[in-house]
Every structure is written in C-alpha cells, then in structure tokens.
Amino acid sequence: FNGLKEKKFLGNKIGESSYFPPKPFCSRTLKFEAELLECDGTGIVEAFTIYHDEINMVNFPQNDSIPKVPFVLGVIKIGNSDQCLLHFLSGFDMSDIKKLPEQIKVGMKVKPVWAEVRTGGILDIKYFQPA
C-alpha cells in the first residue's frame, strides 16, 4: 500500500507466479522467496457487477471516497498477476444503467485513476477507467 501513495503498483513474483498486490508466500507452492515487481496498474476486467441499491450500503471508513449509486465494481487482473483485485470502475455513461453492460466488457483493458490525496490504502486508487 505504501507504493500506492507514490502512484506505484508493487507486486511480487514467487516461483512462476506473480501477484498484484503482493502476497507473503505462494499459496500453490508455499514458497516465501519473492522478487519485487512494479507495473503501471493497467489491468483487464475479469468480471463486473452494477450496484444500484442504496438501502444496503456498507458504512466504510473514508465513505466519502465511495461513489454514489449506481456504481460499478470490477474484478481486475493487474498485469500478469495470478490473482485479481476488486475495485470501482468508472468513465462510463451512467445515465441509463440498463445500457452499462453494453459499455463494459469482460476482457477490456483498464487503467487506474488516482485519488488526489493518497494515504497508503486501496482507496488511493479512486477507480479504474477504460484504457
């Protein structure tokens, strides 16, 4: 998370597997030896969902960083990572949520948009938008 403060995506490579964000050990081989990796944060959308129900909103810390409904959550594979992360997707026409699935596609390339104030947490990435 400290790398995010500096707009850097840090990960690691353990054996043949790479991880963004980094992991302390490989869950397949249980190896600990890791090589540090860095990438620009460009990723691929593996899945997404459109959230439009304000009744069930979770009260997160930094709640002002959470977009108003409707918003899109994406499962994003960063670089050549062997794992994905969950984050907000934006940069789409939100005026008609029924048309959102036409704009967002599994396999589309996305890039991070950074928060103005970064504190070393996942919300240092404001959202991902189409690359």
Side-chain angles (χ1 to χ4, degrees):
F1 287 125
N2 286 332
L4 296 178
K5 282 197 272 189
E6 300 171 21
K7 297 183 179 181
K8 293 181 183 179
F9 270 81
L10 300 176
N12 60 2
K13 182 173 181 161
I14 306 172
E16 297 301 313
S17 300
S18 61
Y19 303 101
F20 289 98
K23 290 177 70 168
F25 63 90
C26 178
S27 54
R28 286 183 229 150
T29 65
L30 303 179
K31 290 184 179 181
F32 287 91
E33 302 80 27
E35 170 190 343
L36 185 64
L37 300 174
E38 184 176 336
C39 77
D40 64 1
T42 301
I44 301 293
V45 175
E46 296 287 320
F48 68 93
T49 188
I50 302 164
Y51 195 88
H52 54 86
D53 186 2
E54 197 161 356
I55 295 170
N56 294 320
M57 284 296 292
V58 176
N59 189 17
F60 288 103
Q62 296 179 318
N63 207 24
D64 57 332
S65 300
I66 308 299
K68 302 288 183 216
V69 293
F71 62 83
V72 181
L73 285 174
V75 177
I76 304 163
K77 183 176 183 178
I78 303 297
N80 292 324
S81 182
D82 288 300
Q83 67 185 5
C84 296
L85 62 86
L86 182 68
H87 212 298
F88 302 110
L89 298 177
S90 193
F92 309 103
D93 178 5
M94 303 294 280
S95 63
D96 184 354
I97 62 171
K98 291 180 182 178
K99 291 186 178 181
L100 274 174
E102 297 169 13
Q103 300 176 63
I104 309 165
K105 300 292 180 202
V106 169
M108 77 184 300
K109 197 172 186 180
V110 292
K111 63 182 180 179
V113 173
W114 299 97
E116 287 184 35
V117 176
R118 293 177 302 282
T119 59
I122 194 66
L123 294 178
D124 288 354
I125 308 160
K126 191 171 183 178
Y127 54 83
F128 285 83
Q129 70 180 10

